[in-house]
């Protein structure tokens, strides 16, 4: 049973550039969430995708955008990179809240290994 | 008030010690709670979930006090391998869906 996978593992970009990060969810999961984790902080929610649509978003600017594909995989795009965008970007997958009636499984998210982005 | 607050630590304890971490949350509508463990430069991994008053799994016990909006994690008989950052996580109801709100984490260092 494949877990959540992310690519690439590391990335170095310069200010102003654009970056695309990729995520494949755990087998059987249909919901993908993205998080940004700065050094010494907990992960911060960016947005969540379900049925190829963004259904909720955290406090991140429009420079952060995403996409979900029919096979449930997802991309995170960041435009006009700033130095402050340097962080670990985590993807997490889960079952849809409405579909999963078992309380023990609702809300449980499984994380991929992350992509470490450095902006110079 | 922050959405989820944790004591940042670090907690430095000897092997075999019992250690407890606290977490408070501000949204009374939250129904379920999680503790994740994160090793240095790795992804968070689910440690325990809490849906009622508490949950126990071996050396780990999580307790929930809804009235005080407080969650705790107790680790008994600490092992060197327990050294990590422990993240308190609260699903935040929003428009019919939940997003996970993480605390900043509590660092634990277990020494021989």
């Amino acid at each position: 049973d494949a877990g959540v996978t992310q690519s690439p593992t590391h990335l170095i970009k310069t200010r102003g550039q654009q970056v695309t990060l990729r995520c494949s969810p755990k087998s059987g999961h249909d919901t993908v969430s993205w998080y940004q984790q700065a050094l010494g902080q907990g992960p911060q929610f960016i947005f969540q995708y379900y049925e190829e649509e963004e259904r909720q978003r955290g406090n991140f600017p429009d420079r952060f955008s995403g996409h979900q594909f029919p096979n449930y995989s997802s991309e995170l795009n960041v435009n006009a990179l700033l130095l402050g965008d340097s962080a670990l970007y985590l993807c997490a997958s889960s079952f849809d809240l409405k579909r999963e009636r078992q309380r023990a499984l609702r809300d449980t998210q499984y994380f991929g290994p992350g992509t470490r982005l450095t902006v110079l | 008030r922050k959405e989820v607050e944790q004591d940042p630590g670090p907690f430095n304890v000897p092997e075999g010690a019992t250690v407890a971490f606290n977490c408070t949350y501000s949204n009374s509508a939250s129904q379920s709670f999680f503790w994740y463990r994160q090793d240095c430069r790795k992804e968070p991994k689910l440690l325990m979930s809490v849906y009622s008053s508490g949950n126990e799994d071996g050396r780990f016990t999580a307790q929930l006090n809804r009235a005080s909006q407080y969650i705790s994690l107790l680790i008994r008989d600490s092992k060197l391998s327990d050294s990590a950052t422990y993240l308190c996580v609260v699903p935040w109801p929003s428009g019919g869906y939940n997003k996970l709100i993480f605390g900043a984490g509590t660092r634990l260092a277990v020494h021989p």
Side-chain angles (χ1 to χ4, degrees):
Chain A
D1 179 20
V4 181
T5 59
Q6 290 186 246
S7 63
T9 53
H10 295 85
L11 206 50
I12 299 176
K13 291 285 189 178
T14 56
R15 280 179 297 176
Q17 284 190 308
Q18 178 264 344
V19 68
T20 298
L21 310 182
R22 295 176 177 83
C23 170
S24 290
K26 185 177 167 66
S27 178
H29 285 183
D30 56 9
T31 302
V32 173
S33 302
W34 286 92
Y35 296 83
Q36 180 195 66
Q37 186 175 25
L39 203 60
Q41 302 295 318
Q44 300 292 312
F45 176 76
I46 303 175
F47 42 51
Q48 185 179 82
Y49 276 85
Y50 171 69
E51 291 189 340
E52 302 178 49
E53 289 193 358
E54 179 186 297
R55 69 178 178 187
Q56 57 180 323
R57 189 180 183 92
N59 296 325
F60 279 81
D62 292 344
R63 298 187 297 111
F64 289 77
S65 64
H67 190 77
Q68 186 179 34
F69 299 94
N71 67 352
Y72 308 122
S73 67
S74 177
E75 288 182 349
L76 164 65
N77 300 294
V78 188
N79 294 324
L81 285 167
L82 304 173
L83 295 179
D85 295 332
S86 295
L88 179 67
Y89 287 85
L90 295 160
C91 166
S93 74
S94 56
F95 295 105
D96 173 58
L97 183 65
K98 290 179 182 175
R99 288 201 309 119
E100 181 48 65
R101 293 184 177 276
Q102 291 187 42
R103 195 175 193 186
L105 294 178
R106 285 186 296 182
D107 299 328
T108 302
Q109 296 189 7
Y110 296 88
F111 285 83
T115 294
R116 191 162 297 279
L117 173 65
T118 301
V119 182
L120 302 176
Chain B
R1 182 181 175 184
K2 279 188 178 178
E3 295 163 313
V4 180
E5 289 196 77
Q6 291 184 251
D7 183 338
F11 285 64
N12 294 300
V13 302
E15 278 186 287
T18 295
V19 62
F21 307 138
N22 301 324
C23 172
T24 57
Y25 60 95
S26 61
N27 190 336
S28 59
S30 295
Q31 294 295 308
S32 54
F33 307 87
F34 301 91
W35 284 100
Y36 278 74
R37 170 200 167 120
Q38 186 171 28
D39 293 294
C40 189
R41 302 181 77 81
K42 298 285 189 181
E43 75 272 25
K45 292 189 176 176
L46 181 64
L47 180 66
M48 296 187 74
S49 55
V50 188
Y51 297 96
S52 55
S53 60
N55 190 11
E56 185 172 326
D57 184 5
R59 299 183 293 109
F60 298 84
T61 300
Q63 292 196 314
L64 167 64
N65 184 322
R66 289 188 191 277
S68 301
Q69 293 179 207
Y70 167 97
I71 314 152
S72 65
L73 178 67
L74 182 77
I75 304 177
R76 289 180 296 276
D77 188 24
S78 298
K79 312 289 185 192
L80 294 176
S81 58
D82 293 334
S83 297
T85 296
Y86 290 83
L87 298 163
C88 173
V89 184
V90 178
W92 208 261
S94 173
Y97 308 105
N98 287 349
K99 59 183 181 182
L100 297 189
I101 303 297
F102 284 76
T106 298
R107 267 202 306 131
L108 171 66
V110 182
H111 56 82

